[in-house]
Amino acid sequence: MGLPRAAAAMLGAGLCILPGRASAACTINAVFQVPVTLVRGHPVAPVQLNGKTLGFTVDSGASYSSIDQAAAKMLKLPVRMTQDNVAMTGVGGMTVPDITTVEAVTIAGAQFKNMPFFVQPLSGMNLLGQNLLGYADAEYDFPHAAIRLMKPEGCNDANLAYWAGPSQGVSVIHLESSRTDRVDSTIGPATLNGRSIRVVFDTGAQRSVLTLAAAARAGVNPDSPGVVPAGSMYGAGAQTVKLWMATFASFKLGDEEIKNVRLQFGDVQLGGADMLLGDDFFLSHRVYVANSQHKIFITYEGGPVFDLASKPLVQDAPDQTPREAAVPTIDGPEPTDAEGYARRASVYLSRNDLEHGIADLSHAIELAPGDPKYPFQRATARLSNKQPIQAMADLDHTLKLAPRSTPTLLLRARLRLTEHDNAGAVADLNAASAVAAPQDDLRLTLGEQYRAAGRQDLAITQYDQWIAGHSDDGRMAEALFGRCRARAFLGVELDKALADCNRAGSLAPKMAGVLETRAMVRLKTGDYARALTDYDAALAALPTDALALYGRGLTRLRLGKVSEGQADLAAAAAIQPKVAAQAKAFGLSPS
C-alpha cells in the first residue's frame, strides 16, 4: 500500500501469564494492557499522540489507524496525499484518505515511533487499526473493559485462552490470513443456516451485520416474511447503507451455535467477507486473536450475543413459559477507584443493564465528586432508564463543574425540547455554538436542534458551517435536507432550498420528508403543478402525513380543484387537529 511500517519500542507492561491449559514452557507477556471505556458499545482507549491524549476507538476491522481532520489540525500534523492510489473500503463504500505520520504514540506505557495514520474527513474517526493491533496477539476482553496486546513465547500450538477454567468451553477457529509481516484484517470461518460464510471480527462496528448476498444464500431477502427495516449505517465511504433485520435459524462459530438469532443485513461492503462481527458479539465473549498461531480462541462470557436491546429468554422446563434471564453480573475484583467503576458501568450499560450501570456510576461520583464526566454519564443512563428528572439534575450538576461542556449543553437542550422549554433549549444551544469551532461536527446536531426549537434562522447558519467542512461525509443528504426544510419553513432563499432538496434527493432517493419539503418550496414559489406531483409522491409513500395532506389541499385549491382541496384539508385535520396552526406558522394558509 506504499505505507511505512511503524517502528515500535516496547516500554511496557511486564505482565507475564502462564496459561492454565498450556505447557509450563509457554508464557504470555503483555506488550500493553489498556483499560477501555465502552462508549455506545465502542471500546475507547486513551492514546497519546505527541504528548496529547485523545480517545481512540480500538478497531480490529481497520487495516490502518486513522485520525480525523480536526485532530490532525489540532496537533499541527503535516498531512499529505497517499501514494499508490490507496483507497479505504468501509461499509459505506470507498474513500481516498490523506496520510500523516505521528512521531510518538504512547498507549499504556508502550511507545510506537513514527506511526502512520490515515486522515479521515469524518469526525470522530480516531481509530487504532491492524498496523498496531496486528503487531502481536490481541486479546479483546470487553466483559472486563480491557484490551491487551500479547507476546507468547514457547507456546507453539498451545491453547492460549489462559483465563478459561477446566469446565469452560473454548472455541478455536483458524484465521484466514497467514501473513506474518502485517495483518490487514481478522477473518475466520462460520456457518449461517448451514451455509459457510467468512466473518470479519470488527471491534469498530457497534452492531454485527451480514451482506445482502450472505443473507440471500441463507434464504433471506428484504422482502422475505418477517423481515423489518432496521435503519441505516455509514462508515468510511460516503454512502449511507439501508439495513433490514431478520431471524436466522442458526449461526455457528467454532463450537458455539446460536439458534433463531436476529441479525441485521444490508448492501454493505466487507472486502470479500460475508459478515461483520461487531461489538454486540465482543460484549458477550472474550476473544484472543493469536496472530502468532493464525488462530482465534473464544469463550462465551454470558449475556445476549447480538440482541442487546433485550434480555435473553430461558425456560426451566418444557411445559413452562419462557421468562427473562437475569443479566449476569461482571465477575472479577471490585473496582477500587472512580475510573474502575465507570469502566465497569460502561460494560453494563452496553449490555442494556441500566440498574447495575447507574449504581456503578453513582459509586464513581462518590469517589470523584469534582469530575464532570461521571454525572454526565449517569444522566445519559438515566435518560435511557426513563428518569428525566434525575437526568436533568445530573446535567445541571455537570454544567456547574464544566460550564463549557458542549455534549452536556446539547443533551440538556434535547431534554428541554422534550419538555417544551424551547427558550431554555435555545439558550443551551447558543452556549454550545459559542465554544464550537466553525466547522465542528456538532454543528449538524446544532442545526437539527435549532430547527426543533423553532429557530430556523439559526439552524441555517449551523448547516452552512457544517456543509462547508464535510464535503465527503455520509450525512451530507441529512444536512442538505435539514437546510432545505429550514429555508422552506421560513420562506427565504427558496431557490437555494430547492437546490438543497434536489441534491439531498439524489444522494438519498428514499429519504423521508424530502418530497414533502420540496413540494412546500414549490407551493411557496407558485410552481403548483410540480408541487402537486411531489405531494402525490410523498403521500404515496406515507398516506398519513398530515402536513403533506394539508399542503396538497392548498395546492389543489390554488389550481382551482376546490372540492379535492377541501377534502385534503379535512383529512389532514382528522389525522392532526392542529395541522392548520402548524402550517400557518410555516407560512401556509388557505387565504
Side-chain angles (χ1 to χ4, degrees), residues 451 456 481 484-492 494 497-498 501 513-528 530-535 538 545-548 550-552 554-555 558 582-589:
R451 262 201 315 118
Q456 313 302 329
F481 166 66
C484 173
R485 197 160 179 83
R487 285 169 168 160
F489 286 171
L490 277 181
V492 300
L494 294 177
L498 183 61
C501 268
V514 172
L515 288 170
E516 183 266 327
T517 305
R518 189 172 69 181
M520 183 189 302
V521 172
R522 286 173 163 163
L523 172 58
K524 288 191 172 186
T525 59
D527 189 359
Y528 302 133
R530 290 183 179 178
L532 183 59
T533 299
D534 279 344
Y535 276 128
D545 186 336
L547 191 59
Y550 195 88
R552 188 174 70 175
L554 296 181
T555 303
R558 304 289 196 274
Q582 181 187 17
K584 187 175 182 179
F586 300 150
L588 299 175
S589 62

Side-chain angles (χ1 to χ4, degrees), residues 342-395:
R343 285 195 300 271
R344 192 172 73 175
S346 73
V347 178
Y348 279 128
L349 296 175
S350 295
R351 290 178 172 179
N352 204 37
D353 184 354
L354 301 175
E355 180 181 352
H356 282 105
I358 290 170
D360 272 358
L361 287 172
S362 297
H363 284 306
I365 292 169
E366 291 170 2
L367 292 171
D371 194 322
K373 65 177 176 286
Y374 303 131
F376 174 78
Q377 291 167 3
R378 190 172 68 177
T380 62
R382 283 175 159 171
L383 282 176
S384 297
N385 205 33
K386 299 180 180 179
Q387 297 175 304
I389 295 174
Q390 296 91 328
M392 181 66 82
D394 278 342
L395 293 174

Side-chain angles (χ1 to χ4, degrees), residues 161-212:
Y162 60 87
W163 62 88
S167 62
Q168 187 173 15
V170 178
S171 288
V172 183
I173 66 173
H174 288 268
L175 281 168
E176 287 197 6
S177 173
S178 60
R179 299 180 60 180
T180 57
D181 58 336
R182 177 167 52 82
V183 179
D184 286 330
S185 57
T186 305
I187 297 177
T191 60
L192 182 69
N193 288 0
R195 299 294 186 96
S196 296
I197 60 172
R198 302 169 72 234
V199 297
V200 55
F201 292 77
D202 189 351
T203 60
Q206 184 178 18
R207 296 294 299 270
S208 301
V209 63
L210 289 159
T211 65
L212 277 174

Side-chain angles (χ1 to χ4, degrees), residues 295-438:
K295 296 177 183 176
I296 306 176
F297 299 86
I298 305 170
T299 60
Y300 173 66
E301 300 293 311
V305 178
F306 296 114
D307 187 7
L308 300 180
S310 62
K311 297 179 181 179
L313 296 177
V314 296
Q315 196 167 350
D316 296 321
D319 58 346
Q320 288 183 334
T321 302
R323 58 180 174 80
E324 278 192 349
V327 177
T329 55
I330 299 169
D331 60 4
E334 190 72 6
T336 58
D337 58 10
E339 192 60 28
Y341 276 110
R343 285 195 300 271
R344 192 172 73 175
S346 73
V347 178
Y348 279 128
L349 296 175
S350 295
R351 290 178 172 179
N352 204 37
D353 184 354
L354 301 175
E355 180 181 352
H356 282 105
I358 290 170
D360 272 358
L361 287 172
S362 297
H363 284 306
I365 292 169
E366 291 170 2
L367 292 171
D371 194 322
K373 65 177 176 286
Y374 303 131
F376 174 78
Q377 291 167 3
R378 190 172 68 177
T380 62
R382 283 175 159 171
L383 282 176
S384 297
N385 205 33
K386 299 180 180 179
Q387 297 175 304
I389 295 174
Q390 296 91 328
M392 181 66 82
D394 278 342
L395 293 174
D396 290 343
H397 180 58
T398 302
L399 287 168
K400 287 181 181 178
L401 298 172
R404 293 163 60 89
S405 169
T406 53
T408 310
L409 288 164
L410 289 173
L411 186 56
R412 191 171 72 174
R414 180 160 63 88
L415 184 53
R416 283 175 161 172
L417 285 172
T418 65
E419 297 175 346
H420 308 291
D421 180 10
N422 285 12
V426 169
D428 281 344
L429 297 175
N430 289 343
S433 180
V435 299

